[in-house]
Amino acid sequence: MTHPFLDRAGLRERVHAALAAFLRRRRDRLTEIEAEALAPVADAIEALVLGGGKRLRPAFAYWGYRGAGGADRDEILAAVAALELVQASALIHDDVMDGSETRRGEPAVHRRFATLHAAGGWRGDGDGFGTAAAILLGDLCLVWSDEMLHASGVDPVTLARARPVFDDMRTEVTIGQYLDVQTQATGDTSTDRASLVARFKSAKYTIEQPLVFGAALADGGRLAKAYSAFGLPLGEAFQLRDDVLGVFGDPAVTGKPAGDDLREGKRTYLIAAAIEETGTTLFDEHLGDPKLGPETIQELRDTIVASGALRRTEERIAQLTETALDALAGAEITDEAREVLTGLAQAATQRAV
């Protein structure tokens, strides 16, 4: 995903450099413990964290900070870069729970370690080993997010002010993941439930909480309400776009197999809207079947379009984005931050990946 507002102030390059430097230090520590066994752990995390990603969370946090009057500092870039390790943890665990084969066009972490097990001719079940390894690597990324924040160079008083937001964000995304799993298990197909899951699994930790975190780093708590009014609807619109791409996205662009959300049985707003319009028979029969073939996927896609669910979802994306931008227009932030955050809203909701 390329967008000029993601690169303003050299943000993506600087976030990448901060992450690379931190991960080099962590690699050194791992290889001190046991080089042969733990080098693949460092390789896998580096490949995921440094090999791609939109860097939306650091971008919203950084411009939330600048909007509150904060001056550009390398320590702040390192602090907001820690959000990418929270994201890496969520992605690794999400792929395990969904049984996803790929991530960003490469084998998902659990598949990577299952392959390592097979190549080594090791004992036991290779898939079980891959799953166990991925759970631990996801946990490690979450631990490292905390460490990177504290090693950023931001002074202790500022860290103490921003830390509650960081902690709350990590709690919310974990609870959101559980709500997603629980919703799939219960088969709840209401649009209200889908919106709740989207809000906590993605919306809050993608946009709202990074903005509030950035404001806290700048001692701009006065902006928390305005940033929430902007970030929460925008974050939900971001997740709805992700849901559309999960069904209709081009695998060559998204790095995920076509119709992956249908195979994984995601009860997204898009799917919930289609079920509301058509009934559950077709989706009960096929949703969540990991062996769905191209013809059935196309049948489900056609049903979603014919039911009006795709149009309804696109309209909701537009409505949520408009609500967010209206809130941003009234926020007392710097002009540059307003410009960039408006551009980031477009990047978040009008993307192809």
Side-chain angles (χ1 to χ4, degrees), residues 6 29 40 47 73 75 123 125 176 192 199 232 252 257 261 290 292 299 346:
L6 286 167
R29 176 58 181 143
R73 294 161 48 201
E75 309 94 278
R123 299 178 181 180
D125 175 55
D192 285 347
R199 195 171 305 126
L232 192 56
D261 278 6
L292 276 184
E299 181 183 6
Q346 296 170 349

Side-chain angles (χ1 to χ4, degrees), residues 216-339:
L217 289 171
D219 198 11
R222 70 190 187 283
L223 287 172
K225 185 175 180 179
Y227 278 159
S228 290
F230 167 63
L232 192 56
L234 184 64
E236 189 172 346
F238 167 85
Q239 182 57 46
L240 292 180
R241 174 60 61 209
D242 208 50
D243 295 341
V244 171
L245 293 172
V247 174
F248 294 97
D250 180 355
V253 179
T254 64
K256 300 281 283 183
D260 217 31
D261 278 6
L262 299 172
R263 293 190 186 90
E264 293 168 6
K266 296 286 189 182
R267 262 64 179 181
T268 64
Y269 183 92
L270 176 69
I271 299 300
I275 291 172
E276 282 184 357
E277 298 296 335
T278 65
T280 61
T281 304
L282 181 65
F283 290 94
D284 276 347
E285 184 178 352
H286 296 296
L287 191 64
D289 179 359
K291 297 180 181 179
L292 276 184
E295 291 183 2
T296 306
I297 286 174
Q298 190 57 51
E299 181 183 6
L300 290 167
R301 284 172 166 169
D302 291 344
T303 301
I304 291 168
V305 173
S307 72
L310 179 59
R311 173 186 50 76
R312 181 174 164 185
T313 303
E314 291 289 355
E315 288 173 352
R316 182 157 176 79
I317 291 171
Q319 176 190 18
L320 287 165
T321 304
E322 183 180 359
T323 298
L325 292 176
D326 285 347
L328 182 66
E332 296 181 359
I333 59 175
T334 64
D335 290 341
E336 184 181 17
R338 194 185 319 278
E339 177 196 3

Side-chain angles (χ1 to χ4, degrees), residues 139-193:
D139 290 348
L140 186 59
C141 285
L142 198 61
V143 170
W144 282 357
S145 72
D146 197 66
E147 184 176 341
M148 186 171 186
L149 175 61
H150 280 274
S152 64
V154 172
D155 67 272
V157 172
T158 300
L159 280 178
R161 188 172 58 236
R163 182 57 193 256
V165 183
F166 190 75
D167 289 344
D168 202 31
M169 177 193 66
R170 296 192 301 169
T171 295
E172 287 175 347
V173 68
T174 304
I175 292 302
Q177 291 275 30
Y178 173 76
L179 288 173
D180 188 24
V181 171
Q182 194 258 359
T183 298
Q184 292 182 59
T186 62
D188 189 332
T189 56
S190 69
T191 52
D192 285 347
R193 183 67 173 192

